[in-house]
mmCIF file of all heavy atoms in Angstrom:
data_model
loop_
_atom_site.group_PDB
_atom_site.id
_atom_site.type_symbol
_atom_site.label_atom_id
_atom_site.label_comp_id
_atom_site.label_asym_id
_atom_site.label_seq_id
_atom_site.Cartn_x
_atom_site.Cartn_y
_atom_site.Cartn_z
ATOM 1 N N GLN A 160 110.621 75.862 166.527
ATOM 2 C CA GLN A 160 109.654 74.774 166.342
ATOM 3 C C GLN A 160 110.309 73.410 166.496
ATOM 4 O O GLN A 160 109.698 72.470 167.020
ATOM 5 C CB GLN A 160 108.971 74.917 164.987
ATOM 6 C CG GLN A 160 108.009 76.102 164.919
ATOM 7 C CD GLN A 160 107.444 76.341 163.534
ATOM 8 O OE1 GLN A 160 108.050 75.971 162.533
ATOM 9 N NE2 GLN A 160 106.287 76.979 163.462
ATOM 10 N N ASP A 161 111.557 73.286 166.060
ATOM 11 C CA ASP A 161 112.286 72.026 166.233
ATOM 12 C C ASP A 161 112.524 71.743 167.713
ATOM 13 O O ASP A 161 112.384 70.596 168.167
ATOM 14 C CB ASP A 161 113.615 72.075 165.477
ATOM 15 C CG ASP A 161 113.446 71.967 163.977
ATOM 16 O OD1 ASP A 161 112.350 71.593 163.519
ATOM 17 O OD2 ASP A 161 114.416 72.278 163.247
ATOM 18 N N ILE A 162 112.906 72.781 168.456
ATOM 19 C CA ILE A 162 113.123 72.622 169.892
ATOM 20 C C ILE A 162 111.809 72.263 170.582
ATOM 21 O O ILE A 162 111.755 71.365 171.431
ATOM 22 C CB ILE A 162 113.732 73.902 170.494
ATOM 23 C CG1 ILE A 162 115.166 74.096 169.986
ATOM 24 C CG2 ILE A 162 113.694 73.867 172.027
ATOM 25 C CD1 ILE A 162 115.771 75.434 170.350
ATOM 26 N N PHE A 163 110.746 72.965 170.218
ATOM 27 C CA PHE A 163 109.433 72.706 170.802
ATOM 28 C C PHE A 163 109.008 71.263 170.543
ATOM 29 O O PHE A 163 108.524 70.574 171.452
ATOM 30 C CB PHE A 163 108.411 73.678 170.207
ATOM 31 C CG PHE A 163 107.029 73.543 170.761
ATOM 32 C CD1 PHE A 163 106.730 74.001 172.038
ATOM 33 C CD2 PHE A 163 106.008 72.981 170.007
ATOM 34 C CE1 PHE A 163 105.443 73.880 172.558
ATOM 35 C CE2 PHE A 163 104.722 72.867 170.515
ATOM 36 C CZ PHE A 163 104.438 73.318 171.793
ATOM 37 N N ARG A 164 109.192 70.785 169.325
ATOM 38 C CA ARG A 164 108.822 69.412 168.991
ATOM 39 C C ARG A 164 109.624 68.414 169.831
ATOM 40 O O ARG A 164 109.061 67.460 170.382
ATOM 41 C CB ARG A 164 109.059 69.154 167.510
ATOM 42 C CG ARG A 164 108.875 67.682 167.096
ATOM 43 C CD ARG A 164 109.085 67.477 165.606
ATOM 44 N NE ARG A 164 109.182 66.065 165.265
ATOM 45 C CZ ARG A 164 108.130 65.249 165.150
ATOM 46 N NH1 ARG A 164 106.913 65.699 165.353
ATOM 47 N NH2 ARG A 164 108.297 63.980 164.829
ATOM 48 N N SER A 165 110.923 68.643 169.940
ATOM 49 C CA SER A 165 111.770 67.728 170.696
ATOM 50 C C SER A 165 111.339 67.650 172.158
ATOM 51 O O SER A 165 111.221 66.556 172.733
ATOM 52 C CB SER A 165 113.233 68.175 170.601
ATOM 53 O OG SER A 165 114.066 67.383 171.422
ATOM 54 N N ARG A 166 111.098 68.805 172.761
ATOM 55 C CA ARG A 166 110.701 68.822 174.168
ATOM 56 C C ARG A 166 109.287 68.284 174.366
ATOM 57 O O ARG A 166 108.986 67.678 175.395
ATOM 58 C CB ARG A 166 110.827 70.239 174.726
ATOM 59 C CG ARG A 166 112.261 70.759 174.766
ATOM 60 C CD ARG A 166 113.180 69.870 175.591
ATOM 61 N NE ARG A 166 114.545 70.332 175.591
ATOM 62 C CZ ARG A 166 115.074 71.117 176.535
ATOM 63 N NH1 ARG A 166 114.326 71.519 177.545
ATOM 64 N NH2 ARG A 166 116.340 71.483 176.463
ATOM 65 N N LEU A 167 108.405 68.502 173.397
ATOM 66 C CA LEU A 167 107.045 67.986 173.512
ATOM 67 C C LEU A 167 107.049 66.454 173.423
ATOM 68 O O LEU A 167 106.283 65.789 174.131
ATOM 69 C CB LEU A 167 106.157 68.579 172.413
ATOM 70 C CG LEU A 167 104.673 68.763 172.769
ATOM 71 C CD1 LEU A 167 104.525 69.740 173.932
ATOM 72 C CD2 LEU A 167 103.893 69.259 171.565
ATOM 73 N N ILE A 168 107.905 65.911 172.577
ATOM 74 C CA ILE A 168 108.035 64.451 172.493
ATOM 75 C C ILE A 168 108.477 63.889 173.839
ATOM 76 O O ILE A 168 107.958 62.875 174.315
ATOM 77 C CB ILE A 168 109.023 64.061 171.373
ATOM 78 C CG1 ILE A 168 108.392 64.314 169.997
ATOM 79 C CG2 ILE A 168 109.431 62.601 171.492
ATOM 80 C CD1 ILE A 168 109.342 64.116 168.835
ATOM 81 N N THR A 169 109.437 64.563 174.466
ATOM 82 C CA THR A 169 109.892 64.124 175.783
ATOM 83 C C THR A 169 108.784 64.246 176.814
ATOM 84 O O THR A 169 108.536 63.318 177.595
ATOM 85 C CB THR A 169 111.104 64.958 176.232
ATOM 86 O OG1 THR A 169 112.172 64.786 175.291
ATOM 87 C CG2 THR A 169 111.585 64.538 177.609
ATOM 88 N N TYR A 170 108.102 65.379 176.822
ATOM 89 C CA TYR A 170 107.060 65.633 177.816
ATOM 90 C C TYR A 170 105.944 64.597 177.727
ATOM 91 O O TYR A 170 105.471 64.095 178.758
ATOM 92 C CB TYR A 170 106.494 67.042 177.617
ATOM 93 C CG TYR A 170 105.430 67.433 178.620
ATOM 94 C CD1 TYR A 170 105.782 68.000 179.838
ATOM 95 C CD2 TYR A 170 104.077 67.225 178.346
ATOM 96 C CE1 TYR A 170 104.812 68.349 180.771
ATOM 97 C CE2 TYR A 170 103.100 67.572 179.275
ATOM 98 C CZ TYR A 170 103.474 68.130 180.482
ATOM 99 O OH TYR A 170 102.510 68.467 181.405
ATOM 100 N N TRP A 171 105.517 64.272 176.498
ATOM 101 C CA TRP A 171 104.420 63.320 176.307
ATOM 102 C C TRP A 171 104.922 61.895 176.174
ATOM 103 O O TRP A 171 104.171 60.998 175.784
ATOM 104 C CB TRP A 171 103.583 63.711 175.084
ATOM 105 C CG TRP A 171 102.772 64.953 175.322
ATOM 106 C CD1 TRP A 171 103.101 66.235 174.975
ATOM 107 C CD2 TRP A 171 101.509 65.040 175.986
ATOM 108 N NE1 TRP A 171 102.124 67.115 175.380
ATOM 109 C CE2 TRP A 171 101.134 66.408 176.005
ATOM 110 C CE3 TRP A 171 100.662 64.098 176.568
ATOM 111 C CZ2 TRP A 171 99.939 66.846 176.581
ATOM 112 C CZ3 TRP A 171 99.475 64.542 177.136
ATOM 113 C CH2 TRP A 171 99.126 65.904 177.133
ATOM 114 N N GLN A 172 106.187 61.677 176.474
ATOM 115 C CA GLN A 172 106.799 60.348 176.482
ATOM 116 C C GLN A 172 106.680 59.641 175.133
ATOM 117 O O GLN A 172 106.504 58.433 175.044
ATOM 118 C CB GLN A 172 106.189 59.488 177.600
ATOM 119 C CG GLN A 172 106.429 60.098 178.990
ATOM 120 C CD GLN A 172 105.801 59.302 180.097
ATOM 121 O OE1 GLN A 172 104.586 59.242 180.234
ATOM 122 N NE2 GLN A 172 106.630 58.665 180.906
ATOM 123 N N GLY A 173 106.778 60.457 174.056
ATOM 124 C CA GLY A 173 106.848 59.912 172.706
ATOM 125 C C GLY A 173 105.598 59.221 172.216
ATOM 126 O O GLY A 173 105.666 58.365 171.327
ATOM 127 N N ARG A 174 104.429 59.622 172.743
ATOM 128 C CA ARG A 174 103.205 58.905 172.398
ATOM 129 C C ARG A 174 102.031 59.870 172.292
ATOM 130 O O ARG A 174 101.857 60.732 173.142
ATOM 131 C CB ARG A 174 102.928 57.849 173.455
ATOM 132 C CG ARG A 174 101.789 56.889 173.153
ATOM 133 C CD ARG A 174 101.701 55.824 174.236
ATOM 134 N NE ARG A 174 102.921 55.040 174.277
ATOM 135 C CZ ARG A 174 103.166 53.985 173.522
ATOM 136 N NH1 ARG A 174 102.258 53.571 172.654
ATOM 137 N NH2 ARG A 174 104.302 53.316 173.625
ATOM 138 N N CYS A 175 101.225 59.723 171.244
ATOM 139 C CA CYS A 175 99.992 60.504 171.109
ATOM 140 C C CYS A 175 99.004 60.034 172.166
ATOM 141 O O CYS A 175 98.688 58.838 172.231
ATOM 142 C CB CYS A 175 99.401 60.315 169.711
ATOM 143 S SG CYS A 175 97.707 60.955 169.536
ATOM 144 N N PRO A 176 98.497 60.938 172.994
ATOM 145 C CA PRO A 176 97.586 60.516 174.062
ATOM 146 C C PRO A 176 96.215 60.067 173.567
ATOM 147 O O PRO A 176 95.461 59.450 174.320
ATOM 148 C CB PRO A 176 97.468 61.772 174.929
ATOM 149 C CG PRO A 176 97.715 62.907 173.992
ATOM 150 C CD PRO A 176 98.749 62.394 173.033
ATOM 151 N N MET A 177 95.884 60.355 172.308
ATOM 152 C CA MET A 177 94.578 59.966 171.773
ATOM 153 C C MET A 177 94.607 58.623 171.057
ATOM 154 O O MET A 177 93.594 57.926 170.986
ATOM 155 C CB MET A 177 94.066 61.045 170.811
ATOM 156 C CG MET A 177 93.849 62.399 171.463
ATOM 157 S SD MET A 177 92.781 62.323 172.920
ATOM 158 C CE MET A 177 91.242 61.787 172.178
ATOM 159 N N THR A 178 95.739 58.256 170.492
ATOM 160 C CA THR A 178 95.808 57.038 169.678
ATOM 161 C C THR A 178 96.838 56.028 170.166
ATOM 162 O O THR A 178 96.866 54.899 169.683
ATOM 163 C CB THR A 178 96.161 57.400 168.226
ATOM 164 O OG1 THR A 178 97.467 58.001 168.206
ATOM 165 C CG2 THR A 178 95.148 58.374 167.639
ATOM 166 N N ASP A 179 97.725 56.455 171.058
ATOM 167 C CA ASP A 179 98.861 55.644 171.522
ATOM 168 C C ASP A 179 99.889 55.401 170.423
ATOM 169 O O ASP A 179 100.799 54.580 170.591
ATOM 170 C CB ASP A 179 98.399 54.293 172.098
ATOM 171 C CG ASP A 179 97.748 54.451 173.462
ATOM 172 O OD1 ASP A 179 98.118 55.397 174.187
ATOM 173 O OD2 ASP A 179 96.875 53.639 173.802
ATOM 174 N N ILE A 180 99.777 56.091 169.303
ATOM 175 C CA ILE A 180 100.791 55.984 168.244
ATOM 176 C C ILE A 180 102.111 56.544 168.755
ATOM 177 O O ILE A 180 102.163 57.639 169.315
ATOM 178 C CB ILE A 180 100.340 56.726 166.978
ATOM 179 C CG1 ILE A 180 99.196 55.961 166.293
ATOM 180 C CG2 ILE A 180 101.498 56.936 166.004
ATOM 181 C CD1 ILE A 180 98.597 56.668 165.091
#
Side-chain angles (χ1 to χ4, degrees):
Q160 289 174 335
D161 287 346
I162 292 171
F163 182 74
R164 172 178 168 79
S165 175
R166 295 302 178 95
L167 211 62
I168 288 173
T169 300
Y170 182 87
W171 289 96
Q172 299 178 291
R174 188 175 298 274
C175 168
M177 298 306 296
T178 63
D179 286 331
I180 289 175

